[in-house]
Amino acid sequence: MVNGLLNTGWAILATGGPGGHHAPSAMDRVKGFIDGLCDPKYFVTLTTVALIVALLTYRIWTKPRIALLMAVGFTAFYSASALDPDFFSIIKKPDNVPITMMLYFTGFCTWLGFRQAAVNDERMERGQPLIESGADDKVLVWPDLVYTELVCLILCSVFLIVWAIVLKAPLEPPANPTNIPNPSKAPWYFLGLQELLVYFDPWIAGVLLPGLIIVGLVALPYIDKNPRGNGYYTFKERRFVISVFMFGFIIMWIVLIVLGTFLRGPNWNLFGPYETWDPHRPAALLNVNVSDIFWVVIPEKTGWWTPGLPTKGLLFIPAYLIREAPGLILLGGYFCVLPVLLAKTVWKRLYAQIGLLRFVVFWVLMSWMFIVPIKMLLRWAMNMKYFVAITEWFLNV
């Protein structure tokens, strides 16, 4: 019934009422503009820019009135988007309902944390006590905490039962290899990892990167020795670590889940949020490796050397190493030369604070985190598949 009402509302809005003309061009242009902005290379870039602006202006947008205005504006936009039948068909799926909740919860918790940080930072500048100073918020484990947890357990169980009944939990039949869903998506909380499989081999996307996330969370207390910010909210005193965490959490996790939910359609093609998921859309362009670009594309356009991948070795160097030499040099410079340059320039102070061993661990984690968006942008902009593709060793990066 709700779907029918929304579809009717959209039809009235689109035609100007019963008997009206079809599809006003202004509405189509607005939807087309938003679909264009949701092209992944613009979508990820714009969200990254928005995150940087938000970190720089956290004292402004965290003010309650401005935050409330932003929440109302987002709700109005999201509700208006639900009038579109294609967008509504995505968000109404039981699997995707948590995504809407996730967007609101993430926004609220981010606002709450940064609001308290903004208030504390202003208090410290004025020489006033922090919000947390003198707060009598300690309770006994028994009976206070145990009773509280028991009540939360009961309420959450009731909520999940009602949710499963109302939304009809998508318990599907056993997997059938002759009837594969298209698109076949992972649970919403794994959509970020599934998205990484588009750009990296399974051993990197499914093993190395998740492993580095766990190792990174374990190693953080040993890498970051700054004692400030322990036990109280602040952004001014922990700008770097909080910014890195927010980039990893918002861009590398939340944004990828949104991308996998709203923009990934049949055959894993990318669609705008208001586009119809056409299963017959042509497949994406053929991807190329760095070796293809260096040995084929560049000489074809410049004539500097004969186009063609090397097929013969040189002395004791096998042909595949010569073929992949451009990519190996590129990755070697990124992983080995760049940290040395950073340690001597912009991160000179950081290097002096944490020392060589911590800096090496820090760079390993940072380099792998940043190579993900770099490779994603190169795929979207240049159809680049691998920096290094040594298929003889099943080593593709």
Side-chain angles (χ1 to χ4, degrees), residues 21 73 90 142 200 259 297 353:
H21 297 290
I90 298 173
W142 174 264
F200 294 94
L259 192 153
V297 177
Q353 290 176 344

Coordinates of all heavy atoms in Angstrom, one line a residue, residues 21 73 90 142 200 259 297 353:
H21 N 0.9 16.6 -18.5 CA 1.9 16.2 -19.4 C 2.9 15.3 -18.7 O 3.1 15.3 -17.5 CB 2.6 17.4 -20.0 CG 1.6 18.3 -20.8 ND1 1.1 17.9 -22.0 CD2 1.1 19.5 -20.4 CE1 0.2 18.9 -22.4 NE2 0.2 19.9 -21.5
G73 N 17.1 19.1 6.5 CA 17.4 19.2 5.0 C 17.6 17.8 4.4 O 17.1 17.5 3.4
I90 N 14.9 0.5 -4.0 CA 16.1 0.0 -3.4 C 16.0 0.1 -1.9 O 16.3 -0.8 -1.2 CB 17.3 0.9 -3.9 CG1 17.5 0.8 -5.4 CG2 18.6 0.6 -3.2 CD1 18.5 1.8 -6.0
W142 N 27.4 -4.3 39.9 CA 26.2 -4.9 40.5 C 25.6 -4.1 41.6 O 26.4 -3.6 42.4 CB 26.6 -6.3 41.1 CG 25.4 -6.9 41.8 CD1 25.1 -6.9 43.1 CD2 24.4 -7.7 41.1 NE1 24.0 -7.6 43.3 CE2 23.5 -8.1 42.2 CE3 24.1 -8.0 39.8 CZ2 22.3 -8.8 41.9 CZ3 23.0 -8.8 39.6 CH2 22.1 -9.2 40.6
F200 N 40.7 -5.3 -6.1 CA 41.9 -6.0 -5.7 C 41.6 -7.5 -5.8 O 40.5 -7.9 -5.8 CB 42.2 -5.7 -4.2 CG 42.7 -4.3 -4.0 CD1 41.8 -3.3 -3.6 CD2 44.0 -3.9 -4.2 CE1 42.2 -2.0 -3.4 CE2 44.4 -2.6 -4.0 CZ 43.5 -1.6 -3.6
L259 N 27.7 3.1 -1.5 CA 28.0 2.8 -2.9 C 27.5 1.5 -3.3 O 26.8 1.3 -4.3 CB 29.5 3.0 -3.2 CG 29.9 3.1 -4.7 CD1 31.2 3.9 -4.7 CD2 30.2 1.7 -5.3
V297 N 50.1 1.7 -24.7 CA 49.4 2.9 -24.9 C 50.3 4.1 -25.2 O 50.1 4.8 -26.2 CB 48.5 3.2 -23.7 CG1 47.7 4.5 -23.9 CG2 47.5 2.0 -23.5
Q353 N 58.9 12.1 17.0 CA 58.1 11.8 18.2 C 58.0 10.3 18.4 O 58.1 9.8 19.5 CB 56.7 12.4 18.1 CG 56.7 14.0 18.2 CD 55.3 14.5 18.1 OE1 54.4 13.9 17.5 NE2 55.2 15.8 18.5

